[in-house]
Amino acid sequence: MAPAAGDKAFDSSAVTGTTDDVNTANRDVITTGSLSITAPNPVAASESAVTITEQAGGRVDSRSENPATDIQPASATLTLRIPSDELDRTLTDLKKLGRLNFVSLTAQDVTQQRQDLDARITALTTSVDRLLALMASATSTADLISIESALSSRQGELESLKSQRDFLADQIDYSTVQLELVAEGTVAAGGPDNFWTGIAAGWTALITALGGLLIGLGVALPWLVALAIVGAIVLLIVRLFARSRKAA
């Protein structure tokens, strides 16, 4: 998660994050993106994000929510599939869920890949049709077996290519956006801007460091006690062995 450099980084007007940033006219483009928003209640905002996505004709492929506890703030992460022609409007609605931390979009041109798949599917479809015609006119068992074997192979390859094309079409038609919703204070704020805020930041950092040190000591203490007991037993055995040798 990218930290904010200051209040300006949270200004939604400073980050457009729209598909206008890339020219997708007359091309097959897969658009993926990520969006981070600070919300007063990330779990409630997650519900709103689902509603916004579904109203746009999209769907939610994955969703993870973490309610607030004594040791961690609330958060939510969603994988949204948004119709590509509704992406800009949907992103605008999602940004209203809270304070924008960052947004990024990436476009991958797959025009050539889709054209290649279409050409191969057309060629295989023609080949399958010819084999079906040959099978209908086959006059011997050997010819029939040979044609059936070739037909089975071509049909399997054809189905595989169609599945690839369907998957690619889904990626093109529905943009994938990773949405991260976090609570206030999760994203680091800008640095101290005066002497007193510097002292406050330093004191907070010191308390945090001491807390981490105490936790580490708490974890290590049982191991230290166990090692001390083992060491004492070994030392006692060595002394007893030395005494027995002297007595002998």
Side-chain angles (χ1 to χ4, degrees):
M1 177 170 54
D7 291 340
K8 185 176 180 181
F10 293 104
D11 181 6
S12 61
S13 64
V15 187
T16 58
T18 68
T19 52
D20 292 337
D21 300 333
V22 290
N23 179 20
T24 59
N26 301 320
R27 293 191 296 161
D28 291 320
V29 174
I30 295 177
T31 303
T32 57
S34 57
L35 183 67
S36 175
I37 294 175
T38 296
N41 186 338
V43 175
S46 174
E47 293 284 350
S48 300
V50 172
T51 300
I52 291 171
T53 300
E54 291 178 345
Q55 287 178 344
R59 67 179 189 269
V60 179
D61 276 3
S62 68
R63 179 180 178 183
S64 174
E65 296 176 349
N66 300 301
T69 66
D70 294 336
I71 60 174
Q72 71 175 13
S75 64
T77 304
L78 302 93
T79 301
L80 308 178
R81 301 299 310 282
I82 303 169
S84 298
D85 55 356
E86 293 288 333
L87 181 59
D88 289 346
R89 184 181 65 80
T90 305
L91 286 177
T92 299
D93 291 340
L94 290 173
K95 291 175 187 177
K96 297 176 183 178
L97 295 176
R99 186 176 59 187
L100 180 66
N101 301 324
F102 68 84
V103 58
S104 66
L105 292 174
T106 302
Q108 178 186 2
D109 189 346
V110 293
T111 305
Q112 187 63 49
Q113 183 178 348
R114 183 164 185 172
Q115 290 175 347
D116 289 345
L117 279 173
D118 288 341
R120 293 172 63 188
I121 288 173
T122 299
L124 272 175
T125 300
T126 301
S127 178
V128 167
D129 291 340
R130 288 176 179 173
L131 287 173
L132 288 172
L134 288 174
M135 180 180 293
S137 60
T139 57
S140 68
T141 302
D143 290 343
L144 185 60
I145 293 175
S146 176
I147 294 172
E148 284 181 343
S149 176
L151 180 61
S152 177
S153 176
R154 302 287 173 82
Q155 286 178 330
E157 186 178 357
L158 180 60
E159 291 302 318
S160 175
L161 290 176
K162 286 182 176 180
S163 296
Q164 293 178 42
R165 184 180 62 181
D166 291 344
F167 176 78
L168 188 64
D170 180 72
Q171 297 297 306
I172 294 169
D173 295 339
Y174 289 86
S175 300
T176 303
V177 175
Q178 299 291 335
L179 173 62
E180 177 187 50
L181 296 163
V182 297
E184 290 288 347
T186 303
V187 178
D193 54 5
N194 58 53
F195 175 75
W196 298 110
T197 56
I199 291 179
W203 178 255
T204 301
L206 176 61
I207 296 300
T208 302
L210 289 176
L213 178 61
L214 290 175
I215 292 174
L217 289 175
V219 173
L221 184 59
W223 292 93
L224 294 175
V225 172
L227 289 174
I229 293 174
V230 172
I233 293 174
V234 172
L235 181 60
L236 179 61
I237 293 173
V238 170
R239 286 182 177 179
L240 290 174
F241 181 73
R243 288 179 182 177
S244 64
R245 291 189 61 182
K246 288 180 180 181

